[in-house]
Amino acid sequence: MKIRLASKVQMNSIVDGPGLRMVVWTQGCPHHCPQCHNPQTHHPMEGFEADCKDIIQEIQSRGIHRGITFSGGEPFEQAKACIEIAKAAKRIGLNIWIYTGYTFEFLLMKQRKDWLEFLSCGDVLVDGPFQIKQKNLQLAFRGSENQRIIDIRSSLREGKAILWKEYMEKSS
């Protein structure tokens, strides 16, 4: 399966979730948040295509990473490809963070099978669009105060967004 990326997999991030992480930067985003820090990821036909198997092989060759983060762009716009990568990452013990401009409630309401499957692959969801009026550079792992850091497993079990307080209260 192919996935359209904005850049090569970033191997050593410490700002896209806790610990040393790999980041899959998906290409294409329908949200177009004003003053987004990644506007180059918005156009769905820019970036480049990569084979998910090559990304999985790259992920499997690394040993000291704590997790993998899906960001972009909008990862849910390429949910099927992200599922393939996320499942492989889970098999080798990586935790999974997903950044999305959609809210947790919107993802559930749409009842899209691929979105729900990708969501269930994750451990943490950073949701909501970046809003310049709520921009706060002191926040850890998110850019604006409206964005939430959600415990996906607890939230799916409860049927509502359960915040990951440890990360919500953390400053950068």
Side-chain angles (χ1 to χ4, degrees):
M1 181 176 291
K2 298 284 186 183
I3 185 169
R4 184 161 289 278
L5 298 176
S7 70
K8 290 183 175 181
V9 174
Q10 183 181 353
M11 282 299 172
N12 296 310
S13 172
I14 58 169
V15 296
D16 300 294
L20 190 61
R21 311 188 66 78
M22 295 173 271
V23 183
V24 174
W25 295 100
T26 61
Q27 180 69 38
C29 181
H31 308 296
H32 303 280
C33 300
Q35 298 190 32
C36 168
H37 76 289
N38 289 328
Q40 72 281 6
T41 67
H42 291 181
H43 196 286
M45 297 313 295
E46 292 184 358
F48 63 95
E49 249 186 18
D51 194 307
C52 290
K53 288 179 182 169
D54 293 336
I55 294 170
I56 291 167
Q57 189 172 26
E58 194 173 358
I59 290 169
Q60 291 171 334
S61 70
R62 305 294 171 152
I64 61 170
H65 294 83
R66 181 172 174 186
I68 184 167
T69 298
F70 291 87
S71 191
E74 174 50 66
F76 281 91
E77 294 300 317
Q78 298 187 75
K80 289 179 182 171
C82 290
I83 291 166
E84 186 174 331
I85 297 166
K87 284 184 174 179
K90 275 291 191 197
R91 283 193 292 273
I92 60 171
L94 298 174
N95 68 43
I96 296 173
W97 280 47
I98 305 169
Y99 281 76
T100 179
Y102 297 120
T103 63
F104 176 79
E105 292 81 3
F106 182 82
L107 293 170
L108 292 184
M109 181 192 69
K110 294 304 272 184
Q111 289 293 305
R112 281 185 52 173
K113 185 177 176 185
D114 58 339
W115 285 8
L116 295 174
E117 185 175 355
F118 181 41
L119 186 63
S120 71
C121 290
D123 297 294
V124 175
L125 183 74
V126 182
D127 82 337
F130 171 75
Q131 294 184 354
I132 189 66
K133 289 183 179 177
Q134 296 187 58
K135 179 180 179 180
N136 183 341
L137 297 177
Q138 300 303 311
L139 301 172
F141 310 129
R142 54 195 176 119
S144 60
E145 293 177 0
N146 64 297
Q147 294 174 312
R148 303 175 297 178
I149 301 175
I150 295 171
D151 178 337
I152 295 174
R153 302 242 178 275
S154 295
S155 298
L156 289 174
R157 196 174 38 250
E158 298 291 324
K160 63 180 182 181
I162 306 293
L163 300 181
W164 205 300
K165 291 182 182 173
E166 172 192 354
Y167 299 124
M168 287 292 292
E169 296 167 358
K170 213 173 201 176
S171 298
S172 59

